[in-house]
Amino acid sequence: MTGIGFDLLATDGRARRGRVTTAHGTIETPAFMPVGTAATVKAMTTDAVASTGAEILLGNTYHLMLRPTAERVAQLGGLHRFMNWDKPILTDSGGFQVMSLSDLRTMSEEGVTFKSHLDGSRHHLTPERSIQIQHMLDSNITMCLDECTPFPATEAQAESSMRLSMRWARRSKDAFVERPGYGLFGIVQGSVYPEQRAESVAALTDIGFDGYAIGGLAVGEGQETMFRVLDFTEPLMVKDRPRYLMGVGRPSDLIGAVRRGVDMFDCVMPTRSGRTGQAFVRSGTINIRNARHAHDERPLDAECSCPACRSYSRGYLHHLFKADEMLGPMLLTWHNLHYYQDVMRTMRQAIENGNFEEVASAMETRLNEGDIEATVDPIAKPGKPPKQGRPPKAERVAEEKTDD
């Protein structure tokens, strides 16, 4: 096998059930990749991550090139050995930082010059250097260097950005070292403009890649716009290669994108939210810091088999966060990652069974139900019943905090 393999096992409407084969194992799709930006999924051991059902992790070229450096990772045996993860790894090229760190970089046709956010040192990242770094990291799926077009962008801005990314895609392909079980993905750009997305898909298809990512979304455009872009982009993409929607998202985003033919996802949301006290459950989201949970003996989600739900009450988890104990973020992160993998498993099974739309619609309905009814505090002070209404503003802000 040269590159990575992809078998399309079943379809139901536009939803796809597949399997990606790499030198470090297989990935059942639709798949969600936990984010391990700096060679670690925050608050989790790799054994714990694997126990959730995750089969692939994401690392980041930009952050690892700065610390500990790609050369150091290579000297220590590559990223799999370095972080004790023997399953597949995908590495982001650093393109997102081209956008998010705009005040610390300058761009040219050649590449991007970054000023390190760590110590102010200057680094030059070109398509060739990005591919070289990812090779040293021993990434199974390498991403082309691209410019993640910000939102909003005018048609002229989006066109210029997209065409630069396509030129960088060709250079990335030329620099990539082909070997069995390792692949290179191109990234479709074009903002919200159908003609530009079509041009980008055609350019990448002409170059030829092992898989194709859809970039430039989840950058503030909103779910409705994101789905609209997927509606006119996905039908143009080749059918026999995996499709990866970068940086997405909430459970409802995952369901809607799988409905539109996407195979792979990544997002910091389940881990970041877990660290700030937000839990994703089948009926939506809850903020475990809210006072209503302080006396609650029930689990976060009665249908979940993760350690947080199996062994601990909402009251205990609430206490951990109020006491600033590190176990709280660890358990909520574990729960969120487990829940996300449950969502993906459910969708894979539904596609195989041919009832995806029925199952997806039921999941979406439950996500809008809201949390279970609060219990009465048995030791509340007389005359001061527990608040049942809208939580204080500070707690609402924490609950609504999402990926940047």
Side-chain angles (χ1 to χ4, degrees):
M1 177 183 70
T2 299
I4 62 171
F6 179 67
D7 296 308
L8 188 57
L9 305 177
T11 60
D12 188 358
R14 288 165 61 187
R16 293 149 48 99
R17 166 76 173 93
R19 180 174 296 130
V20 177
T21 305
T22 78
H24 284 85
T26 59
I27 307 146
E28 303 298 323
T29 66
F32 180 82
M33 301 179 282
V35 174
T37 298
T40 178
V41 177
K42 288 182 173 61
M44 297 284 286
T45 66
T46 50
D47 288 345
V49 175
S51 76
T52 69
E55 296 176 320
I56 178 172
L57 297 183
L58 180 144
N60 184 267
T61 293
Y62 169 80
H63 290 279
L64 291 172
M65 71 178 277
L66 295 180
R67 185 173 57 191
T69 75
E71 289 78 8
R72 180 66 68 203
V73 173
Q75 179 258 325
L76 291 170
L79 197 52
H80 297 90
R81 182 178 175 186
F82 184 59
M83 64 186 297
N84 189 34
W85 177 260
D86 62 2
K87 300 176 186 292
I89 294 174
L90 178 149
T91 43
D92 187 6
S93 66
F96 181 76
Q97 281 71 37
V98 174
M99 181 192 72
S100 65
L101 302 178
S102 58
D103 57 335
L104 298 176
R105 54 84 169 162
T106 56
M107 288 184 57
S108 68
E109 182 68 32
E110 179 62 19
V112 189
T113 299
F114 285 99
K115 185 177 180 181
S116 170
H117 68 287
L118 298 175
D119 59 10
S121 59
R122 298 182 71 82
H123 302 266
H124 191 51
L125 188 62
T126 65
E128 294 79 10
R129 175 59 176 160
S130 176
I131 298 299
Q132 179 191 38
I133 290 170
Q134 293 178 78
H135 185 96
M136 286 189 287
L137 295 175
D138 196 32
S139 172
N140 295 105
I141 299 178
T142 295
M143 301 301 298
C144 290
L145 182 66
D146 70 326
E147 180 189 13
C148 181
T149 309
F151 178 86
T154 66
E155 285 195 58
Q157 290 170 333
E159 181 181 87
S160 175
S161 174
M162 179 271 292
R163 290 180 176 170
L164 175 63
S165 290
M166 296 307 98
R167 294 191 294 274
W168 284 0
R170 168 60 70 181
R171 289 167 57 188
S172 296
K173 176 68 180 290
D174 291 343
F176 182 72
V177 179
E178 294 187 0
R179 56 226 191 264
Y182 293 82
L184 176 67
F185 279 28
I187 305 174
V188 178
Q189 291 290 350
S191 188
V192 297
Y193 304 105
E195 297 82 3
Q196 294 186 28
R197 289 282 175 176
E199 180 181 332
S200 182
V201 170
L204 294 174
T205 303
D206 183 63
I207 296 171
F209 291 93
D210 297 288
Y212 297 87
I214 303 168
L217 294 176
V219 290
E221 76 283 353
Q223 187 185 80
E224 182 179 350
T225 299
M226 178 178 71
F227 286 165
R228 180 170 59 84
V229 173
L230 291 178
D231 283 335
F232 60 67
T233 301
E234 182 274 333
L236 305 173
M237 302 174 72
V238 296
K239 307 300 181 187
D240 61 349
R241 295 290 186 271
R243 291 94 167 259
Y244 162 32
L245 180 56
M246 305 179 75
V248 174
R250 287 184 173 273
S252 62
D253 297 328
L254 304 181
I255 296 167
V258 168
R259 181 183 279 123
R260 291 165 172 82
V262 176
D263 305 304
M264 300 171 65
F265 304 87
D266 81 281
C267 191
V268 301
M269 194 170 293
T271 49
R272 178 173 293 168
S273 295
R275 297 196 305 276
T276 59
Q278 184 182 62
F280 292 93
V281 297
R282 284 157 179 78
S283 59
T285 59
I286 65 173
N287 181 4
I288 199 63
R289 293 178 179 272
N290 285 350
R292 59 169 290 182
H293 304 297
H295 57 274
D296 199 329
E297 297 182 9
R298 297 170 297 182
L300 285 172
D301 187 333
E303 298 175 46
C304 181
S305 61
C306 80
C309 293
R310 202 171 57 236
S311 303
Y312 302 101
S313 69
R314 291 184 177 206
Y316 181 65
L317 296 171
H318 172 86
H319 158 71
L320 292 176
F321 274 88
K322 287 299 185 179
D324 289 327
E325 288 289 342
M326 67 177 67
L327 182 58
M330 292 168 64
L331 287 172
L332 246 63
T333 298
W334 198 330
H335 164 79
N336 284 347
L337 289 177
H338 186 104
Y339 169 68
Y340 267 57
Q341 295 302 331
D342 275 351
V343 170
M344 307 316 290
R345 279 187 288 264
T346 299
M347 289 194 288
R348 289 195 296 267
Q349 188 64 57
I351 297 169
E352 290 179 8
N353 293 341
N355 64 341
F356 173 79
E357 192 54 47
E358 177 186 347
V359 171
S361 296
M363 293 169 68
E364 289 170 328
T365 297
R366 290 199 65 185
L367 285 171
N368 292 319
E369 287 180 354
D371 196 14
I372 55 180
E373 186 176 350
T375 59
V376 176
D377 187 347
I379 58 173
K381 293 181 181 179
K384 295 188 66 176
K387 293 180 180 179
Q388 301 293 324
R390 192 169 172 81
K393 181 178 179 181
E395 295 184 356
R396 293 202 308 273
V397 169
E399 184 167 8
E400 293 163 2
K401 181 177 176 63
T402 58
D403 185 14
D404 59 3

